[in-house]
Amino acid sequence: MRYIDQAPSFVQLHRPRADAVQPELIAGLLATPARIAPKFFYDALGSRLFDAITELPEYYPTRTEAAVFAQHGAEMARHLPEGAVLVDLGAGSCAKAARLFPLLQPSAYVPVDISVDYLRDTLAALQQRHPELPMLGLGMDFSTRFALGPDSATWLQERALAQRPRVVFYPGSSIGNFQPDEALALLCQTHAVCESGGTGGGLLIGVDRVKARTVLEPAYDDALGVTAAFNRNLLRHVNHLLQADFAPAAWQHVALFNADASRIEMHLQATGAQTVRWPEGERRFADGERLHTENSYKWQPEDFAALLREAGFGEPRHWTDANGWFSVFWAPV
Ligand SMILES: C[S@@+](CC[C@H](N)C(=O)[O-])C[C@H]1O[C@@H](n2cnc3c(N)ncnc32)[C@H](O)[C@@H]1O
């Protein structure tokens, strides 16, 4: 029997409500150096700005990852199970996963994202284009803990999908936002999600590789200033969540490759001494002081394969592009 849904189901485990995130934001603002986690980039405008970044000539990851899928997709599909429940971690526009539907023929699509309003809209549009594919959106902050949760289990059981293999898709090298120990913890939780479905599941993950600074830095500091706007939009979002009074125009975008740590770092640098206030506190910033907003770790493929094994996955395979800039790994349970 084919299941026909008019609208996708949606479970909102994460509520972007201020009181839930204020302690984390305040702790980061009061730290030295001050920091705000990259997950706070993504309000609805931040998600749209990220989509614009993927169109920029300097931003090689999206088109390089797409080239890897175009060249090796058919071979990848031979290793992946057909009819899997496709779980899309940090789905954003859902566009990447949708392009894989013909290849993977999933039995259901489960996108997960912290940007709840944006996901609701993009998923509703996708469901219209694929009315026969059951879709369940999960609004969740997976940096605290990734699990599908009891509501999803019920949803899968009601559709006789609980015993289908689970393929977790985590593209775009978003794993690079996590420090190696945090990445390991998320991969362990992902392994548990894959393992709790039917046999044959695993993780399909895009990973950006170490390369020349001359390629890396422009990708995070484009000539049009879209990435700068994306970085500053975080202050708008924090103003909303914390009732703070950041003046985004008083902060300069900084992106640099920290070769020792093998990561791109994004910062916002105060263009003058200033005090940022919120209802029960404040933070004084000196002229030139930086607020750390993102890390994007770049991996050597052998190190990432070792991390996957450490997380409990079986022997991983990976495919890359002609320049060896980006790898897509398939790590079976
Ligand atoms: C760099 S974008 C990638 C979007 C898309 N998957 C792609 O590859 O083009 C990261 C996505 O992950 C989501 N995200 C970031 N941190 C998250 C978190 N802690 N929990 C859930 N979603 C998160 C963002 O909202 C955003 O849609």
Side-chain angles (χ1 to χ4, degrees):
M1 189 181 88
R2 290 202 305 187
Y3 184 82
I4 300 192
D5 248 345
Q6 290 303 320
S9 310
F10 201 91
V11 177
Q12 192 165 332
L13 302 171
H14 165 83
R15 285 179 175 69
R17 273 199 359 247
D19 51 348
V21 294
Q22 281 174 352
E24 181 183 351
L25 283 171
I26 291 169
L29 285 174
L30 295 180
T32 307
R35 58 171 193 274
I36 301 176
K39 64 187 177 188
F40 293 111
F41 283 132
Y42 299 98
D43 61 354
L45 178 58
S47 294
R48 288 186 173 86
L49 285 168
F50 177 75
D51 287 345
I53 287 172
T54 67
E55 305 278 328
L56 295 168
E58 296 96 331
Y59 195 75
Y60 65 85
T62 304
R63 64 171 184 278
T64 310
E65 187 181 49
V68 177
F69 277 108
Q71 194 180 346
H72 302 289
E75 198 204 325
M76 284 179 204
R78 284 201 287 278
H79 295 280
L80 271 72
E82 246 190 47
V85 173
L86 183 63
V87 180
D88 187 1
L89 215 44
S93 68
C94 305
K96 283 187 185 175
R99 280 197 288 275
L100 290 184
F101 290 171
L103 206 61
L104 301 185
Q105 299 287 324
S107 55
Y109 176 55
V110 181
V112 182
D113 209 290
I114 196 169
S115 191
V116 174
D117 295 336
Y118 189 65
L119 179 60
R120 235 184 246 284
D121 290 353
T122 56
L123 191 61
L126 189 66
Q127 183 78 84
Q128 296 297 313
R129 287 184 8 235
H130 299 273
E132 295 172 0
L133 182 64
M135 295 188 186
L136 170 69
L138 289 186
M140 175 198 292
D141 174 1
F142 55 66
S143 68
T144 47
R145 182 166 171 267
F146 173 44
L148 295 186
D151 291 343
S152 309
T154 306
W155 186 89
L156 289 168
Q157 266 158 16
E158 284 171 359
R159 288 157 182 80
L161 294 167
Q163 289 314 310
R164 295 291 181 123
R166 292 179 186 172
V167 170
V168 173
F169 180 49
Y170 194 21
S173 203
S174 293
I175 190 71
N177 289 157
F178 295 95
Q179 293 176 23
D181 59 329
E182 298 166 345
L184 178 62
L186 178 57
L187 291 175
C188 289
Q189 291 157 13
T190 302
H191 181 263
V193 167
C194 296
E195 205 176 28
S196 53
T199 53
L203 169 65
L204 186 64
I205 183 166
V207 181
D208 200 12
R209 293 171 54 166
V210 180
K211 62 185 69 61
R213 180 185 298 276
T214 49
V215 177
L216 285 168
E217 287 184 346
Y220 294 83
D221 193 6
D222 59 283
L224 270 181
V226 182
T227 314
F230 174 72
N231 200 4
R232 282 196 202 95
N233 178 61
L234 176 137
L235 301 179
R236 263 188 70 257
H237 192 202
V238 171
N239 280 349
H240 171 73
L241 293 170
L242 198 55
Q243 287 107 56
D245 64 354
F246 273 105
W251 294 83
Q252 189 185 348
H253 171 64
V254 176
L256 53 92
F257 183 52
N258 176 341
D260 292 338
S262 194
R263 68 189 191 203
I264 281 280
E265 294 178 6
M266 294 210 316
H267 302 262
L268 287 164
Q269 183 167 317
T271 57
Q274 50 200 289
T275 300
V276 176
R277 296 184 175 83
W278 56 92
E280 281 158 28
E282 63 177 40
R283 165 74 199 248
R284 180 155 180 78
F285 289 92
D287 185 15
E289 191 173 346
R290 286 179 179 173
L291 176 54
H292 191 165
T293 56
E294 186 182 62
N295 290 323
S296 181
Y297 282 83
K298 308 303 167 190
W299 286 88
Q300 300 287 7
E302 55 279 15
D303 294 338
F304 197 78
L307 194 73
L308 288 166
R309 286 186 209 102
E310 201 180 338
F313 287 99
E315 194 51 35
R317 298 171 180 273
H318 80 103
W319 296 267
T320 189
D321 57 291
N323 294 317
W325 280 3
F326 198 97
S327 286
V328 175
F329 284 80
W330 167 244
V333 166

